[in-house]
Amino acid sequence: MGKTTCAAAAAVRRAEAGERVLVVSLDPAHSLGDALDTALGPEPRRVRVPRGTLFAVELGADRALARWLDERRQLFATILERGTYLDHEDVARFLDLSLPGVDELVGLLELGRLASARPYDTVVVDAAPTGHTLRLLQMPATLRQVAGVLDTMHGKHRFVAESLGGRYHADEADALIAQVEEEGSGLARGLRDAQRTRFSWVMLAESLALEETADGIGALRRDGLPVGELIVNRLTPPPPGPCPLCPRRRAGEAAVVAEARRRLPALDLRVVMAVETEPRGVAALRRLGPRPAKPPRPVRPPRPAPAGPSASRRTTPLDPALPERVRLVLFGGKGGVGKTTAAAAAALSLARAGRRVLLLSADPAHSLGDALGLGLDDRERPVAGTTLVARELDAGAAWQAKRASYHEGVDALFDRMRGVSRFDASFDRAVVRDLLDLAPPGIDELFAVLAVTDALRASRGKRRAHDVVVLDTAPTGHALRLLAMPELALEWARSFMAVLLKYRQVAGLGRLAEELLAAARDLRALAALLHAEAGTAFVAVTRPGALPRLETVRLVGRLREMRIPLAAVLVNALTPPGGCARCRRAARDEGREVARLDGSLRALTGPRPPMILAPLVAPPPVGARALSAWSGQWTQAPGDSPGAPGTRGRKAGRTSTARARRRGTR
């Protein structure tokens, strides 16, 4: 959407107005340094501006969390050891797994630390993409919940002390619990203080973006957070001459802006016109600024773009990279690059080939239903006329259901322990229930994604298993965290089993242990599938711009480190040839970006995976017919042979070369 660029430009403008400004990236997949064209790290670095003072920082959640935990680790361990039957090793394992959501929440606490370290006038925050920003802004309440869990655990120690000594004297552990609770309350107050905080929402003038914007702003308002303005980014300027594309784009954008004004009348609506060269660095960002949107002129509904000679093609260039042995296809990339639309189009193509396809959205800010033109929820819904069914995963509901079942198992365990002198059933029951609330951050999304293994399992009763699951992931940073979660969740399950083993001789392990073992089985199956060279395919979606290109290269590097098979790179929204002079210049610039991406991928992976080129169409495709017509216009990058194996063929290629060398030696 251009959120990072708009944040960087706002920071530059305020600095040049004479303010001392700190601009901070909270997005796990940082692009702020790319926008400023400056190498950034976890500590503020000065950025040279012609006037004023500007510092910038890309917060590392892992480093911030380590600092936050290290300062409190001993007291956390004391509380856990006082309130449970965990030994020191068990406690250390739980603390290493972290507390729920604290990695994201500590970003806000770290932001406060950095902002108070210098006398900044303004702090500009480049937030994470929609779904995870909304979750982050709910984290102050989570921190207060963590304080409540710690207080419950410490309650047993207080009770024993009062029983033996008649009086309890508060100590450092009580002070820590109070501090954690106050940090959560203070963050909540600051975020809702309209005199100190304002939220600016950035969107593109596209129908899917407007639906996500309306949902996101509604969630902020319901939570009492002050939204000040809506910025519509990259509006198409008038063409310099006749053009088959620009008028359709402008008409569609005008209709979206008018609808945004109608649905969100209380917001200041400002627009940013598209520029020919992607703004990077202070000099370019200085010229970029939102301006008040003029009342829109009446526009006719845009006619669909001509389909072109290849629109009726029943296969796409991506299909050879997704052979029948592939059971799981993941689409990922930077927010706003079109991964949801690409995932839906690819799923329809696989269904046309006769495969039973389940299309899932794991992005907390779902757009899958909007892309398909369907009302979707957490139940599978068929797409008419196809073998495709679609579903938008509700991570919160999945984890709540699983946690409720675990709580029932805890209650059953302690019901069998009544009258056993070694344990205090009331305190121990509360503590073990609370340990379920100390699950690793992101485990709610992971338990929702376990629907993948369930969908691919062999026939169950009257229901057939799906042939392939296509997963629309969250934007880059949180998608990578999800891919790393199965191993972390397995460790959490083992740690929880270690707690239950403390009670085995008294009451046995019962149903709760059975459920944990079943969860561990599903987690192992998901982890094995994610790393299966023949069974999983990741499609990285990007756009032909510098910031998306740089993030895509980093994404591909992380996938290699995590051993996630990369099947293809899809470059979306390429300007078609034959337009006005500005469109022709854009097409040339985009071609250079594609060539740079090609070179970076070859340097990173050797023989790079197939590169699929998807054209920009106006209006953007919505609904099964439009998506199929659009995917029919995809092409393979020049120089790629049809069905090029990319990284999937590297091992075999090396083996064949080695055999040839041996034959030559003989």
Side-chain angles (χ1 to χ4, degrees):
M1 304 298 180
K3 166 181 61 64
T4 300
T5 302
C6 287
V12 169
R13 288 196 307 275
R14 284 182 171 268
E16 295 203 333
E19 298 182 14
R20 292 179 57 85
V21 180
L22 173 67
V23 58
V24 182
S25 170
L26 290 182
D27 190 335
H30 299 294
S31 292
L32 181 60
D34 298 333
L36 291 167
D37 204 14
T38 301
L40 299 178
E43 293 295 331
R45 176 173 181 176
R46 186 157 189 166
V47 179
R48 293 190 177 276
V49 290
R51 298 184 300 276
T53 304
L54 176 62
F55 286 83
V57 60
E58 292 179 339
L59 284 185
D62 292 343
R63 178 173 172 174
L65 177 59
R67 179 190 295 114
W68 189 83
L69 274 178
D70 286 346
E71 293 172 355
R72 299 161 176 82
R73 180 176 294 273
Q74 187 54 52
L75 287 174
F76 277 139
T78 297
I79 293 170
L80 285 167
E81 288 175 356
R82 285 176 175 178
T84 69
Y85 285 97
L86 297 172
D87 56 30
H88 185 75
E89 182 180 347
D90 294 331
V91 168
R93 186 186 300 126
F94 265 108
L95 290 178
D96 288 339
L97 290 172
S98 178
L99 304 171
V102 166
D103 62 334
E104 295 176 322
L105 176 61
V106 167
L108 288 178
L109 297 175
E110 184 77 352
L111 177 61
R113 182 186 73 83
L114 293 174
S116 61
R118 293 174 180 264
Y120 296 110
D121 300 305
T122 300
V123 178
V124 178
V125 180
D126 174 31
T130 302
H132 290 87
T133 288
L134 294 178
R135 192 166 93 167
L136 173 64
L137 295 173
Q138 296 170 353
M139 286 298 110
T142 301
L143 194 57
R144 297 198 297 273
Q145 180 185 8
V146 169
V149 170
L150 296 173
D151 191 60
T152 299
M153 292 181 175
H154 203 47
K156 182 173 182 177
H157 172 71
R158 297 191 195 102
F159 177 78
V160 171
E162 289 175 353
S163 300
L164 296 177
R167 185 179 179 185
Y168 173 71
H169 297 280
D171 59 14
E172 290 179 316
D174 297 275
L176 174 65
I177 294 169
Q179 179 194 14
V180 171
E181 203 284 332
E182 176 51 34
E183 284 180 331
S185 299
L187 278 173
R189 289 192 300 270
L191 289 171
R192 288 164 178 77
D193 185 351
Q195 301 301 312
R196 300 175 57 199
T197 302
R198 183 180 74 163
F199 290 85
S200 297
W201 195 281
V202 182
M203 62 171 276
L204 297 180
E206 298 176 356
S207 58
L208 266 67
L210 176 57
E211 295 303 324
E212 182 174 320
T213 294
D215 292 343
I217 290 176
L220 291 177
R221 285 173 166 172
R222 286 191 297 273
D223 214 18
L225 298 163
V227 185
E229 65 177 354
L230 173 63
I231 300 172
V232 184
N233 193 27
R234 293 208 302 262
L235 285 180
T236 304
C243 184
L245 179 64
C246 288
R248 287 199 308 272
R249 293 180 65 183
R250 285 172 54 79
E253 291 167 0
V256 171
V257 171
E259 181 66 8
R261 188 187 298 276
R262 185 188 70 80
R263 293 173 64 174
L264 301 164
L267 293 182
D268 291 336
L269 197 153
R270 301 168 72 80
V271 299
V272 179
M273 303 305 293
V275 293
E276 291 195 25
T277 303
E278 186 175 7
R280 292 189 65 197
V282 169
L285 293 168
R286 292 172 66 199
R287 298 189 292 269
L288 191 72
R291 66 192 193 201
K294 297 178 181 178
R297 297 177 180 177
V299 294
R300 295 180 179 179
R303 293 182 179 180
S310 61
S312 61
R313 184 172 55 203
R314 295 193 60 81
T315 61
T316 76
L318 181 60
D319 292 355
L322 309 176
E324 288 193 7
R325 67 176 181 272
V326 170
R327 308 293 309 284
L328 174 62
V329 184
L330 302 103
F331 280 76
K334 186 176 177 65
V337 296
K339 62 181 178 53
T340 299
T341 307
L348 285 163
S349 179
L350 292 172
R352 285 199 306 270
R355 302 174 71 178
R356 288 174 48 82
V357 183
L358 173 62
L359 176 58
L360 295 176
S361 169
D363 189 337
H366 297 295
S367 293
L368 184 57
D370 300 326
L372 290 169
L374 298 173
L376 294 183
D377 55 23
D378 201 16
R379 294 167 294 183
E380 293 182 8
R381 174 170 176 177
V383 178
T386 72
T387 57
L388 173 67
V389 294
R391 175 182 171 191
E392 293 179 338
L393 295 171
D394 187 337
W399 176 237
Q400 286 176 12
K402 184 63 67 174
R403 186 169 55 185
S405 180
Y406 288 166
H407 280 170
E408 291 176 4
V410 171
D411 290 340
L413 171 67
F414 284 95
D415 285 344
R416 295 196 298 272
M417 292 174 52
R418 287 175 181 161
V420 178
S421 59
R422 181 184 171 192
F423 300 107
D424 187 319
S426 60
F427 276 111
D428 286 64
R429 181 194 303 260
V431 165
V432 176
R433 285 175 64 104
D434 282 345
L435 284 174
L436 289 168
D437 294 326
L438 299 185
I443 200 169
D444 54 345
E445 296 173 16
L446 178 65
F447 270 88
V449 172
L450 286 178
V452 169
T453 56
D454 185 55
L456 296 175
R457 208 164 280 151
S459 300
R460 306 173 307 283
K462 296 181 180 180
R463 180 179 169 187
R464 291 174 54 194
H466 295 284
D467 298 324
V468 60
V469 174
V470 177
L471 185 64
D472 173 33
T473 67
T476 304
H478 291 87
L480 289 173
R481 187 180 75 172
L482 180 65
L483 294 176
M485 275 297 299
E487 288 81 2
L488 180 63
L490 269 171
E491 182 60 28
W492 173 79
R494 294 189 190 103
S495 299
F496 203 87
M497 283 294 293
V499 176
L500 295 184
L501 289 172
K502 310 290 182 181
Y503 303 94
R504 177 175 56 182
Q505 293 180 346
V506 178
L509 294 183
R511 171 185 142 191
L512 178 57
E514 294 175 2
E515 291 202 35
L516 285 170
L517 290 172
R521 177 202 65 204
D522 290 342
L523 289 168
R524 282 192 294 270
L526 179 60
L529 179 61
L530 287 173
H531 300 299
E533 183 79 17
T536 291
F538 193 103
V539 179
V541 184
T542 187
R543 286 201 179 202
L547 267 65
R549 167 176 56 82
L550 293 168
E551 182 167 315
T552 300
V553 173
R554 291 192 290 266
L555 168 62
V556 171
R558 287 286 291 122
L559 292 173
R560 282 172 57 83
E561 292 172 7
M562 299 170 70
R563 297 181 297 107
I564 305 293
L566 178 66
V569 175
L570 191 150
V571 185
N572 189 24
L574 285 154
T575 303
C580 62
R582 188 182 62 236
C583 285
R584 292 196 297 273
R585 288 193 296 271
R588 285 196 297 270
D589 291 342
E590 291 167 1
R592 295 188 188 102
E593 285 295 339
V594 172
R596 293 186 185 105
L597 177 62
D598 184 9
S600 297
L601 292 177
R602 290 183 189 278
L604 185 66
T605 67
R608 66 156 171 76
M611 186 181 293
I612 311 301
L613 308 180
L616 173 70
V617 295
V622 174
R625 291 186 62 182
L627 290 166
S628 295
W630 174 58
S631 66
Q633 300 176 62
W634 295 357
T635 59
Q636 200 143 6
D640 281 5
S641 59
T647 54
R648 290 180 177 275
R650 280 187 299 155
K651 183 176 180 181
R654 287 195 299 266
T655 303
S656 299
T657 302
R659 288 173 181 163
R661 287 174 178 166
R662 287 196 297 270
R663 285 197 298 269
T665 302
R666 288 196 293 269

